[in-house]
Structure formats: C-alpha cells, structure tokens
Amino acid sequence: MSDIEVWILLLLALMMLCAAVMVLLVKNHIAAVAAASVVSLGLALLFVIMRAPDVAMTEAAVGVGLSSLILALALRRLGLWKVDSEQVKYILLSHGGENKDG
Amino acid sequence: MGNLTGLLFAGGLGFMLLTLAGGLDFGTPPMLVGSEIQAHAPQQTGAVNIVTSVVLGYRAIDTLGELSILFAAAVSAGLILGRRHTTAGTQTKGGFILYTGGSLLFPLMMTIGFYIIFHGHLTPGGGFQGGVILAAAFFLPLLARPGARLHHKTLSLIEGFAGASFILVGLLAMMEGKAFLQPLLVQDTLGQLISAGTLPLLYLAVGLKVGAELASLLSRLIQTEAPQ
Amino acid sequence: MTSVFDPELILYTTAIGLITIGLAGVVMSSHLFRMVLALVIAEAGANLMLVLAGYRWDAVAPILTSLSEPAAMVDPVPQALVLTAIVIGVGIQALAVSLLIRIRQRYATLDRKEAAERMDSEIAASMGAARDVSQDAPLGERPLPPIPADQVNMRGGDAP
Amino acid sequence: MNAYLVLTIALPLLGAFLLPILMRSSIAIALWSGPAILIYGCWTIADIWLQGSTQPISIAIGGFAPPLGINLYIDSLALLFAFAVQLLGLIFWPFTLDQDSARRQSLMLLLVAASTGLALSGDLFNLYVFYELAAVATFGLASASGSSAAYVATLRYLILSGIGSVLTLFGIALIYSKTGTLNLAHLAQLAPAQLNDELGLTAFLSILIGIGVKAELFPVNTWVPEIYATASTRLSAFLAGLLSKLALLIILRLLLLIFHQPEAAQVLLILGILGVVSGELAAWRAKELRRMLAFSSIGQLGVMFIAMALPDGAGVLAVLALAIHHLIIKSGLFMLAEDWGGAIQRLRGSAKMAPLGAALFVLFSLSLVGMPPLPGFWAKFTLITELAGQSEPLYLIGLAVFLLATVIEASYLFRVAAILYQDAPRETLDHEIPKNEGLSLVTATLFGAGLIAAAVMIAPVGDSLNTIAVQVQDIDLYISTVNPGGSQ
C-alpha cells in the first residue's frame, strides 16, 4: 500500500467517523440521511482501496444508492422531509438581496 | 443521565475493543481456507472471479439463505404495508428532465444490469449488483410518472420463478447424483463468457430475484400514502 | 511499512468507531428513525471489520488475471460474506422502514418513549388487566388525527 | 439416502418462493403444499432415525469438502431438533384463509427452513444467515396481527435483533481474522491453540449476546413480553418452545466445541442467574396468562444457561432434558393460553366449562415445577445433583436461586390453577367464561399426551438422552466426522 493510499485512507476514515457522529447529532433528518450515505460512500471507497471490488460495487449500489433511496422515501412517507425553515429563510432573503443589488 | 452512562459505556466498549487490536495482526490473515479456495476455485467452479466462485459455489447455500432473507423482508413489508395503495395527490409530477431522462436511461440501465449479471464470473459484479441496477431501471419511470404502476403480478412471478430456479438448479445436481448445489458442466473454457457451468445461470436467477424484489419493495414504499 | 500511519490500525479504528457510534446511537437516540439510521452505521462498521479480516496489504483483488502466474490475492471468503451481510442489512432496513411508516400512521409519533408507552397501554388494555391508563391514550384502534376519517376505510386489513 | 436431508431445508424454501404464485392459480394446491412439504420433511428425518445408525454424519453442500464448503452436521441431537422443527411447523401451521394467507404461509415455511438450518448447519457464518432468516420471518409473522402495538413491538424486536446481528458479525470477524476458517469442526481443531485468550473470549461474548437475543438471554430479552403479548399465540408457542431452544443449542455447541475458557462459563452462569431472578419475579407479578408464560420462559431459559455453565460439559444432559421438557410444556401452555386471554381473574370457573383444558394446565404446571412421576422432576433433579456437586460458591448461588425459582414458579402456577377451579362469580353468564375448544385444545392435548408418554417411558427416554448428551460432548467425534482439511 503506497503512501498516498494511506493518506486517502486516513482522510476517508476521518470523514466517515465525522459523518457517523453527524448522523446522530444533527437536528435535520434529511441531513442525517445524507450523512449516513456519506458513511456508505466512504465505505465503498475503502473497499476499493482494500482490493475488494465486488464488495465495493455492492456497497455502492446497495448502501449508497438503494439504502439512501429507501431512507429518503421513508422520510417523505414519515413526514420528516422538512427543510430547516430558518435556513430557507436565510437563503431566500440573501437571494433577494443579490437580485436587488444586481 | 441515561445518555451519560450510555456514552461512558460506549466509550469503554470502544476502548476495550481497540486494545484488543494488539492481539490481531491485520494485513496478514492466516488464509487457511482462503488460499485453498484460491488454489482450487478455477478448476472446481470455472469462475475467474474467485469471490463469485465462493458466493455461488463454496458458499452457495449462504446465498440461497440471503435470497430468502430478502424475500422474507419483501413479503413482510407487503404484509405490513398492505395491498391497497393510494397514489393520488401525494406526488408531484416529475419534470421534463426526469421524464425524458427516465425514458432514455431505461434501456441503458437494463443493458448495464444484464451485462453486470452475465459477467459476474469474469469481472467484479454479479447478480446482486446487476439486480439493484435492474430494480433502479424499473423504478425510474415511477419517479418520472407518478401515475405509473409496476405490474406486481409480473414482478411476483419473476420473483418466485427466479428463486425457485436457483433451488431447482441445485436439485438438478442432486438428480445427477451429485451434491445439492454442486456446480455442473464445468468446461475447460476458463475466462470466457460462456464458462463456469451453472454459475452464470445461478447469478441470472439471483439478479432477477433481487431486481424484482427490490422493485416491488420500492414501489410499495412510494405508493403508500404520505401523512398530511 | 514505510508509511507514517499503520493502515490496518486506521481501518480497525474506523470499524470499531463505526460500530461503537452506531450502537451508542441505537441505545441513546430518542427518535425511532434515528435508531434505524444508527443501526445502518453499526452494520457498516461490522462489514468493514469483516473485509478487514481478509485483507492483505501488497496483494491483488481476488480475480485471476493471468492463469500462468497467480499473484498473491486478498482472502476472497470474507468478501463473499460481506456481500451477503450487505444485502441482509438492506432487507432488514426496508422492513424497519415499513414498520416505521405504519407506526407513524397509527400513533402519529416516532418518539421512542411515547411509542413504547402507547404500546404498553394498548397491550394492557387488550389484556383487560387493570392498569391506570390515561383516558386520552388510545385503547383500541387508532383514533388519531393524521389520517382523515374518510380515508380510514381505504386502508387494507385494519379497518374496523 | 442421507443426502436427501438437505431437502428438509431446500423444499420449504422452494415452497415459500412458489406459494404466492400457486395461491393465484389454485388455492387448494397452495393450501396443502406447505403441510405436504413439512410432512415430507418429518418423514425424511424419521426415516433416517429409523435406520438406526447412531453415528453422526456430515453432508457437504455443493460437494466441496468441509473447510472449503459448508457442511451439515447431523448427529442425534441435530436430527431430534430438525424433526421437532418440522413437526411443530406442521402443528402451528397458519391454516386461516384470508387475503394475507399466502404471505403468512410463505413466512412460516421460511421460518421452518431457517430453523432446520439452525439445527443442522456446521458453519459459523451459515448459522448466522439462517439465524437472520429466522429473525426476518419472525418479524413478518409477529407484525401480521396488524395491531398498532404489534408494529411497535416488532420494531423494537427488530432493532434489538439488529444490535445482536452487528455483534455476531463482529464476533465472526474476530474469529475469522484469527483463525482463517468458519467451519465449526475446523475451529474446534484450532481453538485450543488460537482462541484460548481474551480475543476468543470477546468473540464468544459478542456472539453470545447476538444469538442470546433469540435465546432470551438476560440483558437482551426485553422483546419477549412485548412480542408474546402482541403476536399470535401460535407464533409465540413456536418462538418460546422451539426457536429459543435452537439458539440455546447453537450456544451450547459453540461452548463445547470452541470456547473452553472458564470465564465464558462464568459469564453464562451470572447471566443465567440474573435471567432466572428477573424472569420469575416478573412472572409472579404478571396479571395475564400469556405475559406470565413469557416471563416464566425467560426464567426457565436462565436455568438452562446455568446448567450450560457447568464445567467440563457436566450439565449437557441437564440442558438437553430441560430444553426438551420445556419445549413440550411451553408449547402446550401457550396453546391453552390461546383461549384464555385477558386477566387471570376472568378465568374463574373455567375448569367447569373446560375440564380437559384445566386438567392439562395442572398437568403441565406440575411437571414444570418438578413433581416426581413427571419428566420435569427428572430433568430438574439431574441439574440439582450436578450443581450440588460443584465446590465453587457461584454454582451454589446458582443452585439456591434455582430452588427459589422453583418455589416462585409453583406459587404463581398454582395460583392460576386455583383460580381455574374456583366457582365463577354468580352474575357471570356461562358464555362469558373463557374456555378452550377446537384446534388449540387438541394441540395442547397432543403435547400433554407426549408428556405423559415421556413420564411412562422415563427410563428409555433418559437413556437415549444420555447417549445424545455423550455424543454431543465428544469433540473428537465431531472433528473426525467432518474431517476438515482431510489428511492434515
């Protein structure tokens, strides 16, 4: 395993652990699902580095794609698909400001 | 309070497991079974992809169990979510891009899915990965056209017969006087598309079953009513 | 090993970390949907652990490229196991999600404690045992607002 | 001929896959195909049994020799439990016909296939797969009753069992990275040299907690009262009677073959004692029959864990005797409870309305408590003598707890019996008194007849159990039968 691979590994590992913590702590459920798919994505990349192409493909298809899809559909059906209203307001307002300036 | 104890407990557990790392040398596994399988797999199963030969040859009954688990999950989800669906009103119609993209992508995804399934014994990939892509191909129109429905009857037909054919291939081997799920027709054509005896057949069954099951699961999820 | 970091140690720590975070999340979160998410994380950790069990540094993927000189390969068996485990995981996850949808419809809550209390009082009511059930709690089938009354009969199986 | 044993797993799976299709074309065929498959399974196993060969055999699936492929290990114990699975699957078959019956019967067939696999398989990961299959099928069946409480109970069970499966996978990964094999016989060969350390202990503990979810082991048994209260009684009977025993059997095999550390036994002992105390006390406080049975089953499985913790396999005979005894009794009691739902106080006067049911209840209770002519006495006596022979204080505590638990058991069971034989309150109408009738009473009578038959033939039954116990303990026999690694 070359040096550069180890650095990528470290980066991915940190990213996954942070995302895992985020899944539990973040308030917004959409963000939590997104963080969970980041974990899966990191896992798929790790599998590539670990010479497991079959597993990586499966994880990418099932873990990143399908599982996120199921969770996102679930969010809709559970009525948890709510964008943070404060943030939305902020974005909308700032957009409006830009338009005025331009 | 409960959170704090939980956190402490989890931390302690993690630390304990980490210290155990000293007892293991990762990176140099003993490979007692692994190296044996590597040495014999090409002759015994005819598959170049050794993971495939493990999944469909050496541990075929695990794969059968796994298919059954997916089937059980789909059946249970059907039992829980019930038969009747109300699709009206809850979904917004897909935009132009989704609509056109869906129609364009459908044949492409079907091709890719079957390609991955049929090359499972040669390259990475196989029934599971291909099956997921097939399911996605069928799911895309549902996203684009909210009114569209999957033929649950057809899906369950595919599902049942694909699962049954996996077992029947195994039973066929028994009728030939071999063991259950023993790979048949191993020819000396290692590395070619038509090789590895019954393994591609098994992977086709796996792919169709996984695809049909996931498609019906997803459509069931999308067709249940959303709360107000 | 030429590198500053031991790659196996990084991977092992990640796996253990994911399992621990996931399990802690399952135990501590107060929202049923988060519990399912945490379970997904823990499963990811277990899968990583399993692949790691067969990982060899300086080896190639377990696919024969040239028949004459087979190179050192990583162990194929754990990879096959993980394939199985991933698919099992997604099946269970789909099942959990469909249960969540039903619970949300019936109880209009996904709070862990609230759902458990509702369940307890419903069990107690079905047993006819004397338990001080507060009257606003549902005794029989869902009398709850999220579903308009005209839709009740359209639902399969459970309509009275 | 023996190779056909694999059909007891394959055919139920085949039937499960095809049932939804069959149901659409011909209901009559679909209705009878499930029972037919199970009857064939019973017949296959009984046939092997009747051949009289007591030597264990190993069947390599796919024709790959054991450490490479997966094998089924078939000794008397495995055969006994495989037979019990198929028979109980038949007895508890969901005959009801409605729009969901195809799904329910499919799941039941999957549950039977998974349970048979659990009894027969000789590979660690294959056991895990069948264990998960049994779990998922159980989720589906448990939520089939459709009440809101059932959904919550199932979800809680699913999450607990998910934790268990993560831990099991972790344990399997530890074992594999240390030894490089998953075959139980191969592991038994390697274990004394490689798994006899903290790593092996950690692996054992994670697998124990993982599989303990189904075996109603102490800290992971919170699902038991919830599921048994909300699921159908037949499913509860199958879970409490059989599936918990299969999980117990796996733990027993792992303990005997692979994990010989004294700490492992100690953990089991402590968890067993805690299970007995918590289960029996909760059962004593329970006000409803099914709930009482659920808690008491936690207690009785705790007793089996105590027996399992005895050093050098001294408790194997006691475990087997207790397990089979409990299998019969709990199945019978749950079948009686099917018609006796609701508060226990409502049961007053039931004995007059349904004398057979009440008599069966008394019979089961007496045997469970350990009344001398009944098999329960013999099972419990075996355990007491073994426990009393130990010198370590922890085992004596176990003995004390066990005796105390018997007293508590007697008090709550006879309390119910007394209520059954009381006169009904005057204002109650006859039809308001719950009474057993129909299929559930017939089934309970079957179990009662089995119990009496065992009581009459206690000597031969005891002998054959003893033979089975000796065979289970023979690690060398296991290894040489499977012969992992051929000549190595």
Side-chain angles (χ1 to χ4, degrees), chain B residues 2 30 73-74 90 93 98 104 106 110 125 129 148 158 172 183 187 201 206 209 214:
Chain B
T90 55
K93 198 170 184 302
L98 190 59
L104 281 178
F106 179 75
M110 290 292 279
Q129 298 89 333
I158 296 175
L172 204 67
Q187 294 160 349
L201 275 184
V206 170
K209 189 162 173 62
L214 293 179

Side-chain angles (χ1 to χ4, degrees), chain B residues 17 20 23-24 26 30 32-33 36-37 44-45 57-59 61-62 64-66 68-69 71-73 75-76 78-80 83 153 156-157 160-161 163-164 167 171 174 179-183 209 220, chain D residues 3 6-7 10 13-14 16-18 21 24 60-64 67-70 99-100 103 107 110 123 125-126 129 132-133 136 140 143-144 151 170 174 177-182 186 190 199 202:
Chain B
L17 294 178
L20 264 170
L24 280 172
F26 286 106
L32 227 54
V33 173
E36 284 282 305
I37 284 182
Q44 284 183 337
T45 63
Y58 296 99
R59 308 190 70 89
I61 196 159
D62 274 358
L64 181 57
E66 174 189 1
S68 318
I69 291 176
F71 178 71
V75 170
S76 307
L79 207 54
I80 291 165
R83 277 190 187 165
K153 260 187 184 171
S156 77
L157 270 182
F161 282 123
I167 299 178
L171 291 179
M174 268 183 103
F180 180 61
L181 282 174
Q182 187 159 2
K209 189 162 173 62
R220 196 150 270 144
Chain D
V6 77
L7 292 184
L13 288 181
L14 187 66
F17 290 157
L18 290 180
I21 300 173
R24 209 171 291 144
I61 293 174
F64 300 106
L68 299 192
I70 294 171
Q99 60 162 358
D100 283 332
R103 292 193 173 121
L107 287 175
L110 289 174
D123 185 279
F125 192 79
N126 193 233
V129 171
E132 288 293 306
L133 178 55
V136 175
S143 60
Y151 292 137
F170 178 72
L174 281 186
S177 57
K178 182 76 187 205
T179 60
T181 184
L182 291 166
H186 206 187
L190 301 172
L199 186 90
T202 317

Side-chain angles (χ1 to χ4, degrees), chain D residues 224-225 278-280 282-283 286 290-300:
Chain D
V224 173
S278 61
E280 297 292 2
R290 268 198 280 172
R291 211 174 175 76
M292 175 187 285
L293 293 180
F295 281 122
S296 92
S297 117
I298 292 178
Q300 272 122 22

Side-chain angles (χ1 to χ4, degrees), chain D residues 205-373:
Chain D
L205 287 183
S206 0
I207 294 180
L208 176 70
I209 299 289
I211 298 196
V213 175
K214 278 253 181 305
E216 305 176 12
L217 187 69
F218 166 63
V220 281
N221 53 16
T222 49
W223 60 274
V224 173
E226 299 167 3
I227 289 286
Y228 292 178
T230 52
S232 74
T233 324
R234 287 163 174 267
L235 179 69
S236 306
F238 194 90
L239 293 184
L242 196 54
L243 207 55
S244 59
K245 306 301 174 306
L246 287 170
L248 189 91
L249 183 79
I250 295 168
I251 297 174
L252 179 71
R253 280 238 204 260
L254 292 181
L255 197 69
L256 286 176
L257 289 174
I258 302 169
F259 303 104
H260 306 290
Q261 296 95 325
E263 291 91 349
Q266 255 163 15
V267 171
L268 262 185
L269 184 59
I270 293 170
L271 291 182
I273 290 176
L274 289 174
V276 172
V277 172
S278 61
E280 297 292 2
L281 285 182
W284 190 68
R285 288 181 47 208
K287 292 194 174 60
E288 201 262 354
L289 192 54
R290 268 198 280 172
R291 211 174 175 76
M292 175 187 285
L293 293 180
F295 281 122
S296 92
S297 117
I298 292 178
Q300 272 122 22
L301 278 152
V303 171
M304 288 170 222
F305 281 115
I306 294 179
M308 210 190 282
L310 283 165
D312 307 322
V316 174
L317 178 61
V319 174
L320 292 184
L322 285 170
I324 292 166
H325 174 247
H326 188 240
L327 195 165
I328 297 173
I329 299 265
K330 262 289 139 57
S331 311
L333 280 175
F334 264 110
M335 286 327 288
L336 287 178
E338 190 167 37
D339 296 323
W340 282 347
I344 292 173
Q345 290 301 328
R346 276 183 57 225
L347 301 179
R348 267 184 289 180
S350 285
K352 270 201 190 127
M353 302 300 297
L356 182 58
L360 281 172
F361 184 86
V362 173
L363 174 73
F364 289 142
S365 304
L366 284 176
S367 189
L368 199 56
V369 171
M371 205 63 179

Side-chain angles (χ1 to χ4, degrees), chain B residues 143-204:
Chain B
L143 277 183
R145 274 158 281 186
R149 291 234 181 152
L150 286 183
H151 264 277
H152 276 280
K153 260 187 184 171
T154 328
L155 278 183
S156 77
L157 270 182
I158 296 175
E159 200 178 310
F161 282 123
S165 58
F166 191 100
I167 299 178
L168 288 179
V169 168
L171 291 179
L172 204 67
M174 268 183 103
M175 279 202 257
E176 301 245 317
K178 294 180 177 161
F180 180 61
L181 282 174
Q182 187 159 2
L184 291 173
L185 314 163
V186 177
Q187 294 160 349
D188 202 17
T189 49
L190 200 61
Q192 300 190 359
L193 181 57
I194 301 190
S195 64
T198 45
L199 294 200
L201 275 184
L202 288 183
Y203 246 167
L204 180 63

